[in-house]
Amino acid sequence: MQDNATEVTAAGIARLAGVGRAAVSNWRRRHADFPRPVGGTETSPSFALPEVEGWLRRHGKLAEVPLKERVWQQLAGHPAGAVAALIHAGCVLLLIHDRSPVWLEVSSGSDERLAAMLPSALEQVLTPRLREADGSRVNSAGPVNTSASPSAAPVAPAAPTTPAALAAFEPPTAPQLLPSAPLLRGVAELAAESDARHTFEFLLGRHLDANPRQYTLTPADLSGLMAGLAGPARTVLDPACGTGSLLRSVTPRPGQELYAQDSAPELAALTALRLALHTRAPVHAAAGDTLRADAHPAVRADAVLCHPPFNERNWGHDELAYDPRWEYGFPARTESELAWVQHALARLRDGGVAVLLMPPAAASRRSGRRIRADLLRRGALRAVIALPVGAAPPYNIPLHLWVLRRPEQAPAQPEVLLADAGQFAGEGRGGPDWAGVRETVLDAWRAFDRAGRLDERPGLARSVPVIELLDDDVDLAPARHLPPPAAADGAGRLSDVRERLGETLRLTARLTPPPVDPARPAAPGRLPLTTVGELARGGALVMRTGGNGGHARVPVLTDHDVLSGTAPSGTLPESDEEAVLTEPGDVVVPVLGGGSVARVIDEATAGAALGRNLVLLRPEPAALDAWFLAGFLRGTANNRQASSYASTATRLDVRRLQLPRLPLDEQRRYGARFRALDEFERALRQAGRLGEQLVRGMYDGLTDGTVSPD
């Protein structure tokens, strides 16, 4: 066995064999020839992947390993780490994407031959596609000078800062590539099934999902909104690029050039490869602290898109006091976000647009009021847009978008657009209504951008003369300047809610279950039971788990939607794994939370993608009634015996849920009663929601003067 063999954990072995972790533990105890651990810890050992695959094959437990799972295990257990393996895979995928015959030539021999020939082959694609921060091309022998971007204008250099920015990554060498040879062959096989770009997106997405605490991501819907606000652009810069989501959302156009920088070298490298696979535009990527060591000082971009780090104290306050970028004032130590704002403005051409994701405190903190005032006076700040809760991490805070334009000249009577999309927040963890957010925000911004002002749209947007904002606080929070939408027709809206509540309460009374007759005993004896697992093995139902977004942009049914009885409201990242789409008659069960809940999919909900922590049961209509199945799955005792407990979490093993063996006609009798109970429960929920809405509206109306106390 090689010392640098790919390692895999017990959980990875379970995924390879399609079993639970308990089965892997049993194999270790019962089989003396089971591979010995080669790493990890005593409680979480790791094993050499080649040895594990060989053992599984010898014992007939590895009939067919899904290619995606095999490649992912090789990447996740790579001896140099998952990020290094992902970069190697990205380089090869770019080679396959641009020059597949070259890949076929270098991969035709042994792993040693592949590793020896690959660096020079990679140079053929890395050189023309990826460029250094100064515009020179990536070259294993060193940078080669090329002409600067046509859009770049020479400017005075910034004050000397440290550390220096570096190239996004150095092309891997033959010794580095040798341990990756089996992975790279698997990646090429995976790319042949779909294509190079989707393969890299799958591997990157899987890595990000496996390490959620290491990365602060910009959701795809938010990235698209920010790119839409910036508009068409030939030269685009993201000075805090992360995984490249913002630049990936930019609409391609002829002659486009993309510039990226991130303080984490691995993120800069992944962004460079991701963008090179996504677009034909030259990609200028660099690693380094943007504020201290700007890699693109000569760039004058058409657009800057940025999701900067929030609330940084160590952003370079002491070293950068005389930096020429602070045209609007020297940011306080606590105002790192205003340093990013001014950096973005400094990298724009005259008339260029910058869109930054900002914490809401940046619009009102007293320490930043002088800079905000100067941004307003000089016409640089054009819009502040409040996003719904859940738009981006941290998900419990309604973040803001700032839209800025480098002023060509100060406007005579400047106004600024203030918009609030808070009403499009989704219920619970479902996420915002992105279609509503995008339509409302882009429509308001484009109308304001054309005319320089916008008539009030109650509760949504209005343009405010800058002079009205230049008080002692210079508070730019949209909520402080926009009247609530109920103020325009509060009384009429409340009357409508009251009428709907009355109708719902009358419906609830009609649906109330009849009283139980104590003189009529239940069915005698104990009914023979079966389990969901047995029914699945017998073909009476099909069981599927959710969590994959696929390529179709459809609503996602979340576990919160099932628990609260609401419409599909979630989103999932795009992936190459097909989404599980619901159909009428499916039964959906949440597996976390300890509640006894099962939801039958109707025509209105059908077609949604199944979200995470949900199991879908699709009964065979000739053998199993859907409402009978859902009703018995909701039994409290049934859920208790099928649940397992780990620390504070409760997880439901759906296969262990029980239901009686009954003829189909008898199932339908039970199913009709369960369906009536479901209608009653939904009416109660609707009445509760309308009651809360009526109470809140009355409080708001009485306090804002739109409702009389008489």
Side-chain angles (χ1 to χ4, degrees):
M1 183 192 73
Q2 294 180 357
D3 291 338
N4 58 3
T6 298
E7 298 178 11
V8 62
T9 63
I13 297 173
R15 285 194 293 270
L16 284 172
V19 299
R21 290 190 62 177
V24 178
S25 299
N26 288 334
W27 294 342
R28 291 185 64 195
R29 289 195 300 268
R30 292 168 46 200
H31 297 276
D33 63 336
F34 193 88
R36 297 283 183 254
V38 297
T41 64
E42 185 175 347
T43 57
S44 180
S46 59
F47 307 83
L49 181 59
E51 291 187 358
V52 168
E53 289 181 325
W55 187 90
L56 292 173
R57 286 194 184 92
R58 289 195 303 274
H59 288 262
K61 303 181 186 300
L62 193 66
E64 182 180 354
V65 182
L67 177 60
K68 284 185 175 181
E69 189 60 41
R70 174 160 57 87
V71 171
W72 167 247
Q73 291 297 338
Q74 290 174 327
L75 188 146
H78 194 281
V83 173
L86 192 55
I87 292 173
H88 294 177
C91 289
V92 164
L93 287 168
L94 185 58
L95 176 63
I96 294 171
H97 182 270
D98 284 9
R99 304 192 180 189
S100 56
V102 177
W103 163 254
L104 293 175
E105 166 61 24
V106 300
S107 63
S108 60
S110 65
D111 288 354
E112 289 74 14
R113 179 179 181 273
L114 170 64
M117 296 183 65
L118 197 51
S120 60
L122 291 178
E123 184 179 332
Q124 298 180 39
V125 293
L126 296 178
T127 296
R129 297 299 305 281
L130 305 180
R131 303 190 179 195
E132 302 287 356
D134 62 357
S136 59
R137 298 180 178 185
V138 172
N139 190 302
S140 58
V144 179
N145 291 329
T146 62
S147 59
S149 164
S151 64
V155 294
T161 57
T162 58
L166 304 172
F169 67 95
E170 293 293 331
T173 62
Q176 293 170 331
L177 288 167
L178 182 59
S180 300
L183 165 67
L184 300 180
R185 295 185 189 277
V187 165
E189 189 178 350
L190 197 56
E193 291 186 356
S194 54
D195 59 49
R197 181 173 67 86
H198 286 108
T199 298
F200 187 74
E201 290 295 324
F202 161 71
L203 295 173
L204 176 61
R206 192 80 177 262
H207 174 67
L208 297 177
D209 286 344
N211 302 276
R213 297 184 179 180
Q214 294 183 23
Y215 305 98
T216 300
L217 304 181
T218 310
D221 289 303
L222 176 57
S223 298
L225 174 62
M226 293 174 68
L229 288 167
R234 180 181 175 276
T235 306
V236 190
L237 165 68
D238 184 350
C241 63
T243 58
S245 177
L246 288 171
L247 290 176
R248 187 172 177 267
S249 298
V250 174
T251 302
R253 59 176 302 180
Q256 193 171 68
E257 296 197 43
L258 304 177
Y259 293 81
Q261 183 170 350
D262 199 275
S263 59
E266 67 274 10
L267 291 181
L270 292 175
T271 291
L273 291 167
R274 188 182 194 188
L275 294 175
L277 284 163
H278 180 71
T279 177
R280 299 300 302 181
V283 178
H284 308 256
D289 185 324
T290 298
L291 295 181
R292 289 188 174 91
D294 181 17
H296 309 292
V299 168
R300 288 296 177 266
D302 299 315
V304 174
L305 301 174
C306 186
H307 177 175
F310 296 162
N311 302 318
E312 278 196 330
R313 295 298 182 98
N314 184 27
W315 58 267
H317 178 270
D318 294 338
E319 306 101 297
L320 302 173
Y322 300 102
D323 195 288
R325 289 172 291 183
W326 315 142
E327 294 182 48
Y328 301 87
F330 181 39
R333 190 182 302 276
T334 57
E335 293 287 355
S336 62
E337 296 85 9
L338 294 183
W340 286 97
V341 164
Q342 295 191 74
H343 173 81
L345 285 167
R347 296 296 162 262
L348 286 173
R349 64 166 176 79
D350 289 346
V353 177
V355 184
L356 284 84
L357 184 66
M358 302 283 281
S364 56
R365 280 190 297 240
R366 290 190 61 81
S367 54
R369 65 189 187 278
R370 291 186 178 179
I371 294 178
R372 293 196 300 271
D374 207 31
L375 289 169
L376 291 173
R377 287 192 193 98
R378 296 171 60 180
L381 181 58
R382 306 299 296 136
V384 177
I385 300 162
L387 296 170
V389 171
Y395 290 107
N396 61 328
I397 297 175
L399 300 175
H400 288 178
L401 290 178
W402 285 24
V403 184
L404 304 109
R405 175 170 282 131
R406 185 168 183 83
E408 298 175 270
Q409 60 183 14
Q413 295 180 330
E415 297 194 8
V416 63
L417 174 68
L418 300 180
D420 190 345
Q423 63 179 272
F424 296 102
E427 295 186 12
R429 293 169 288 169
D433 172 11
W434 278 110
V437 173
R438 184 177 179 85
E439 180 181 359
T440 300
V441 170
L442 290 181
D443 182 62
W445 164 249
R446 288 165 182 165
F448 170 78
D449 196 34
R450 286 192 302 268
R453 62 180 307 279
L454 182 74
D455 293 333
E456 182 176 331
R457 301 180 180 183
L460 291 175
R462 64 181 286 233
S463 62
V464 181
V466 165
I467 193 65
E468 293 184 16
L469 301 172
L470 296 177
D471 54 16
D472 289 341
D473 295 322
V474 196
D475 192 331
L476 306 181
R480 304 192 198 281
H481 303 280
L482 295 174
D489 58 345
R493 196 177 292 249
L494 290 177
S495 296
D496 179 61
V497 171
R498 188 178 186 282
E499 184 176 340
R500 290 168 56 202
L501 176 60
E503 292 175 357
T504 305
L505 290 175
R506 288 190 290 272
L507 175 63
T508 304
R510 290 199 303 271
L511 293 174
T512 302
V516 177
D517 186 358
R520 185 177 181 181
R526 183 175 177 84
L527 296 172
L529 298 176
T530 185
T531 65
V532 168
E534 290 175 353
L535 291 171
R537 287 191 293 272
L541 59 82
V542 174
M543 186 161 64
R544 303 286 300 276
T545 57
N548 297 315
H551 298 300
R553 304 303 295 171
V554 297
V556 175
L557 185 70
T558 68
D559 53 350
H560 182 269
D561 297 331
V562 175
L563 293 169
S564 61
T566 53
S569 62
T571 59
L572 285 171
E574 181 179 337
S575 70
D576 281 349
E577 298 186 45
E578 290 297 322
V580 177
L581 302 182
T582 58
E583 297 179 3
D586 290 344
V587 178
V588 177
V589 183
V591 297
L592 294 180
S596 53
V597 177
R599 177 171 175 175
V600 179
I601 300 300
D602 56 17
E603 293 288 347
T605 314
L610 193 68
R612 296 185 178 94
N613 303 319
L614 292 175
V615 171
L616 179 146
L617 305 176
R618 183 165 293 161
E620 174 58 46
L624 200 57
D625 181 78
W627 286 101
F628 164 80
L629 171 65
F632 273 96
L633 296 189
R634 291 194 59 172
T636 302
N638 198 6
N639 276 259
R640 188 180 297 120
Q641 64 83 28
S643 297
S644 59
Y645 305 90
S647 65
T648 59
T650 304
R651 187 172 187 88
L652 183 67
D653 185 350
V654 177
R655 291 179 176 273
R656 292 172 52 190
L657 288 170
Q658 300 173 336
L659 61 158
R661 297 180 183 271
L662 291 176
L664 190 57
D665 289 345
E666 190 69 9
Q667 291 181 32
R668 288 171 178 159
R669 282 186 60 232
Y670 274 97
R673 191 63 181 271
F674 286 137
R675 187 168 192 164
L677 284 174
D678 180 78
E679 292 178 3
F680 176 65
E681 182 180 37
R682 283 190 281 118
L684 285 176
R685 283 176 172 161
Q686 178 69 0
R689 285 193 285 263
L690 289 171
E692 290 178 2
Q693 189 176 345
L694 179 61
V695 170
R696 172 50 51 199
M698 288 295 296
Y699 272 111
D700 289 344
L702 288 167
T703 55
D704 65 22
T706 58
V707 174
S708 170
D710 299 330

